Amino acid sequence: MATEQRHVTNSELHTDLRTAVRELCSRYPDSYWRELDAREAYPEEFVKALTEAGYLAALIPEEFGGSGLGIAEASIILEEVNRSGGNSAACHAQLYIMGTLVRHGSEAQRQHYLPKIASGELRLQAFAVTEPTTGTDTTQMKTMAVRQGDHYVVNGQKVWISRVEHSDLMLLVARTTPLKEVTKKTEGLSVFLVDLRTAIGHGMTVRPIRAMINHASTEVFFDNLEVPVENRVGEEGKGFRYLLDGLNAERILIAAECVGDGRWFIERACRYSRDRVVFGRPIGQNQGIQFPIARAHVNVEAADLMRIHAAELFDAGQACGAEANMAKLLAADASWEAANVTMQTYGGYAFAQDYDIERKFRETRLYQTAPISTNLILSYIGQHVLDMPRSF
Ligand SMILES: Cc1cc2nc3c(=O)[nH]c(=O)nc-3n(C[C@H](O)[C@H](O)[C@H](O)COP(=O)(O)OP(=O)(O)OC[C@H]3O[C@@H](n4cnc5c(N)ncnc54)[C@H](O)[C@@H]3O)c2cc1C
């Protein structure tokens, strides 16, 4: 990605960026993703191409070899991947967890890791937060990192940790002070950069989870894993704040993926409704088919406006918690509506793997649940935006 693009107007950059990402994605057609889905295999080649083109380094500052672009541009990259029929989930984490290292990493960590991540020499694709017994209630996590001299000893378990097997580094959130010893439950969590190349087999075990979608998710077990103190990101005990810092970026990027999915579904539904002739006319001529597609389109476009608004606020350094959360909720709902409408439009063929509708339907369903579930977004809006009583 050429850095001189930063000097053109935003709209020119966005058009150029979209065109370039679309061109790259066109080399990975439906059949590529379908075949990987069938084999539950990771899109190595696609992620390599995206990395080599510089797209996964979009948010790394230029001084460290990245493009120094904003969240708006990063979101366009992921939107276009999903809009092409692909699945950004194979590589989106690098974009949304990068901020933790950029903002809170020491100068030594940034100098050491960022240029290598930007060049693709190191992959930072895994982010370990969720635990089997505590789920969404993050502050209750049980994985402990206990300091012993120049290293921490980590014990515990994580679940649903994606891309661990396709990553060199993993951001790990663990308790460094037991819950009963902190005054606020958000205190006492810390963030670590785990070097997977040395950790796996030496205190860390990874077990793949077979799932409804091809997502390379795993269970991870820590049994006296040693992590050097210099791999702690930021201050000890402040990890929850660093987590929160990254959430708006994550919400906006995921919203963009949903918009991409939504547009992909609408395009397919419209095309099929024009071509499929039953009772002597295209099914799209029936308003029972046409109106749900039109409504889904309206909702995707409306969600996109909120996503753009949130991204603009984010890039201007303004508060955007409400907008980022609303964008994620609206976009996830819109893509899911578009998915359902497209399933209905395709009739029985929606179920045939060769049409890719069922694959994308499964993939876009995830966004109702992960990385953050719809209920949790609504509780954020209820409590933090509308000042209603806290429910948990
Ligand atoms: C394919 C996949 C990939 C993932 N990748 C990662 C990853 O890379 N790293 C990582 O850390 N995690 C990952 N996750 C985990 C994901 O973030 C969690 O599944 C998600 O946050 C929900 O947690 P849970 O599954 O434990 O659900 P629970 O916390 O058990 O919640 C179950 C349901 O109850 C609802 N609920 C819970 N409490 C409340 C409440 N107080 N009010 C209203 N509703 C409530 C939730 O919204 C949810 O719908 C992934 C999950 C999946 C499925």
Side-chain angles (χ1 to χ4, degrees):
M1 196 173 359
T3 49
E4 60 268 23
Q5 283 179 338
R6 296 184 72 236
H7 305 300
V8 299
T9 67
N10 263 353
S11 62
E12 281 169 342
L13 167 59
H14 294 173
T15 309
D16 289 353
L17 186 57
R18 278 184 194 283
T19 309
V21 180
R22 249 175 235 181
E23 192 283 317
L24 187 152
C25 291
S26 69
R27 289 184 257 142
Y28 300 89
D30 292 347
S31 54
Y32 173 77
W33 295 98
R34 195 187 308 143
E35 196 263 332
L36 290 170
D37 186 63
R39 287 194 291 121
E40 295 188 57
Y42 187 75
E44 290 288 354
E45 201 190 313
F46 173 76
V47 176
K48 188 162 177 279
L50 216 55
T51 306
E52 282 171 359
Y55 295 128
L56 296 186
L59 296 175
I60 297 180
E62 283 175 294
E63 58 179 306
F64 298 111
S67 332
L69 294 171
I71 210 75
E73 290 79 25
S75 79
I76 285 172
I77 294 166
L78 299 182
E79 178 197 333
E80 288 299 333
V81 171
N82 280 36
R83 189 180 180 169
S84 78
N87 189 1
S88 296
C91 52
H92 59 187
Q94 182 143 313
L95 286 168
Y96 67 69
I97 60 184
M98 183 61 61
T100 308
L101 194 54
V102 170
R103 278 191 300 273
H104 305 294
S106 66
E107 197 48 34
Q109 285 170 334
R110 287 159 21 117
Q111 294 286 356
H112 182 69
Y113 292 109
L114 293 177
K116 290 182 182 158
I117 295 170
S119 72
E121 188 183 331
L122 288 178
R123 299 161 300 167
L124 172 59
Q125 289 288 358
F127 187 32
V129 181
T130 309
E131 297 194 0
T133 58
T134 49
T136 312
D137 199 358
T138 310
T139 59
Q140 304 298 311
M141 70 170 59
K142 294 178 178 141
T143 297
M144 280 297 300
V146 178
R147 182 149 179 185
Q148 285 182 8
D150 62 354
H151 62 269
Y152 286 85
V153 178
V154 182
N155 279 289
Q157 185 183 349
K158 298 281 175 184
V159 72
W160 289 116
I161 310 310
S162 306
R163 302 163 298 272
V164 177
E165 296 164 301
H166 309 282
S167 195
D168 302 300
L169 302 168
M170 175 178 83
L171 270 190
L172 166 71
V173 185
R175 271 220 163 268
T176 35
T177 309
L179 195 56
K180 58 181 185 313
E181 291 174 24
V182 293
T183 42
K184 277 173 73 183
K185 61 185 181 180
T186 50
E187 291 167 359
L189 295 167
S190 301
V191 175
F192 300 93
L193 205 47
V194 175
D195 191 330
L196 296 168
R197 297 165 300 174
T198 49
I200 295 175
H202 299 94
M204 179 173 164
T205 312
V206 181
R207 192 185 296 160
I209 301 176
R210 295 201 60 194
M212 177 176 134
I213 49 174
N214 182 21
H215 207 279
S217 273
T218 62
E219 280 181 289
V220 175
F221 303 87
F222 304 106
D223 182 13
N224 291 325
L225 171 72
E226 293 188 7
V227 178
V229 169
E230 67 256 27
N231 283 28
R232 193 189 66 227
V233 179
E235 282 181 63
E236 184 178 294
K238 300 269 191 280
F240 194 75
R241 184 159 67 75
Y242 304 156
L243 255 185
L244 292 185
D245 269 7
L247 290 186
N248 289 338
E250 179 197 280
R251 305 281 193 265
I252 296 167
L253 293 172
I254 297 292
E257 290 180 28
C258 293
V259 167
D261 275 349
R263 289 186 171 143
W264 182 89
F265 280 116
I266 303 290
E267 193 190 317
R268 295 289 162 121
C270 290
R271 195 195 308 165
Y272 193 79
S273 79
R274 285 189 292 264
D275 294 346
R276 175 72 172 165
V277 175
V278 182
F279 293 111
R281 58 183 173 171
I283 57 169
Q285 201 177 332
N286 303 305
Q287 292 177 332
I289 288 291
Q290 190 181 102
F291 284 6
I293 301 174
R295 183 180 290 277
H297 168 72
V298 170
N299 287 336
V300 170
E301 295 307 307
D304 190 40
L305 292 179
M306 186 61 82
R307 164 268 186 127
I308 292 168
H309 181 44
E312 282 173 353
L313 289 173
F314 186 100
D315 286 334
Q318 294 181 28
C320 64
E323 292 77 8
N325 275 282
M326 290 191 287
K328 156 66 176 64
L329 181 93
L330 289 169
D333 283 355
S335 76
W336 181 230
E337 180 189 2
N340 275 301
V341 164
T342 309
M343 280 296 284
Q344 203 61 24
T345 303
Y346 270 68
Y349 293 99
F351 295 82
Q353 291 178 352
D354 280 354
Y355 287 77
D356 300 292
I357 305 301
E358 61 82 36
R359 172 177 61 82
K360 290 288 281 181
F361 176 86
R362 286 183 279 116
E363 287 171 358
T364 215
R365 179 60 180 80
L366 177 68
Y367 299 120
Q368 295 287 323
T369 303
I372 179 79
S373 72
T374 303
N375 276 2
L376 269 288
I377 294 210
L378 289 171
S379 89
Y380 174 90
I381 300 293
Q383 186 192 327
H384 295 286
V385 182
L386 302 176
D387 196 27
M388 288 190 278
R390 186 185 177 89
S391 69
F392 53 86

